[in-house]
Each structure stands twice: as C-alpha cells, then as structure tokens.
C-alpha cells in the first residue's frame, strides 16, 4: 500500500523540480544598439510639428502614427523595416516593462492597439495623434495618456 502512494508522490516531486519559479524578466535585447535607438528618438523629435495625415508616411506628405514610426526606423543610422499598421506594431519586437524603457522603444496604446508612438526618454513620447493636428511630444503621465492602456515594445 505504501508503495502505491510513493510512486505518485515521487512523480509529483520530480515534475516540480523541472519548473522554474517566476522571477524578474531578463533584459530585452533589441535589433538596435543603444546609439541607434537614441538616433531614432532624436530623429522622431526632429519631426515634431509635421502635419498629421491619415495614411501619411513622409515629412512632405504628413504622418499618421504608424507612418511616423515606419519613417523614423527606416531612416535611422541602422535602418529597420517597421510594420505599417498599429496592429502589426503591437506584436513587433519584444515586450518591455515600463521600468526598462529606453529611447527608441515603441509605446502602443489600447487593448486592441489603436495608437502608437516612439519613446524619447524622461516619460515622453513622440506621436502623430489626430486629424488636424501635428506630430507632437507628449508625456505618458499626462491627463489623457495616463488613463490609456499601454504596452511597450523593443524592436
């Protein structure tokens, strides 16, 4: 009788030995060096004031949010082809915790990814927000954006 109980107990102990307890996430490596990521942020900041245009992806024609991101990444010191839609950007690269953000990371808003921008440091991001507006610099802790669901991605 004891032998019958010992086998399931032994199996459970051995199975538990193969699991790893949850702990802090490992640092996320991206495609860009920290210098290239900083270049992305500087380039994005240089486009502040460019008119918003739905479907736009050039400084001359204007930008929507994903067009801005694609343009900045394509024209950086280390060109990277970014996805064209916000829905695709939401799955691009690796997820990053807020505490591990660095310049050049993506900021993606909404449970269904409805808007995105480029993190430029000190709690700020550059984005192309809406029709009639321009590319601008905003704060993640601002009145509107702090109430939005947000995820961070490192391309």
């Amino acid at each position: 009788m004891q032998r019958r109980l010992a086998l399931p107990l032994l199996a459970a102990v051995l199975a538990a030995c193969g699991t790893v307890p949850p702990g802090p996430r490992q640092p996320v490596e991206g495609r860009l060096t920290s210098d290239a990521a900083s270049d992305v942020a500087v380039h994005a900041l240089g486009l502040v004031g460019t008119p918003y245009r739905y479907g736009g992806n050039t400084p001359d024609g204007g930008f929507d949010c994903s067009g801005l991101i694609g343009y900045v990444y394509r024209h950086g010191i280390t060109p990277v082809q970014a996805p064209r839609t916000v829905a695709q950007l939401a799955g691009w690269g690796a997820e990053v915790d807020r505490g591990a953000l660095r310049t050049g990371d993506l900021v993606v808003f909404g449970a269904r990814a409805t808007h995105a921008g480029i993190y430029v440091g000190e709690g700020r991001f550059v984005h192309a927000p809406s029709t009639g507006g321009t590319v601008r610099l905003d704060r993640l802790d601002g009145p509107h954006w702090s109430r939005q669901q947000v995820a961070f991605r490192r391309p």
Side-chain angles (χ1 to χ4, degrees), residues 4 16 25-27 34 39 47 50-51 57 66 70 86 90 94 100-102 110 121 125 132 135 149:
R4 286 185 194 157
R25 282 190 180 172
Q26 296 298 316
S34 59
D39 179 65
L47 294 167
T50 303
N57 60 9
S66 58
V86 175
L101 275 173
R102 73 172 190 193
F125 67 104
V135 173
Q149 183 173 344

Side-chain angles (χ1 to χ4, degrees), residues 1-13:
M1 180 81 160
Q2 286 182 341
R3 185 175 174 116
R4 286 185 194 157
L5 292 175
L7 288 177
L9 180 60
L10 179 61
V13 168

Side-chain angles (χ1 to χ4, degrees), residues 44 47-52 62-64 68 126-129 133-137:
L47 294 167
V48 168
T50 303
Y52 177 91
F63 291 110
D64 64 12
L68 171 69
V126 171
H127 63 126
T134 61
V135 173
R136 69 182 194 214
L137 178 65

Side-chain angles (χ1 to χ4, degrees), residues 29-41 73 77-78 80 102-105 154-155:
E29 294 296 323
R31 296 178 182 149
L32 303 176
T33 65
S34 59
D35 285 344
S38 292
D39 179 65
V40 163
Y73 275 96
I77 58 174
T78 305
V80 175
R102 73 172 190 193
T103 59
D105 286 344
R154 179 157 304 148

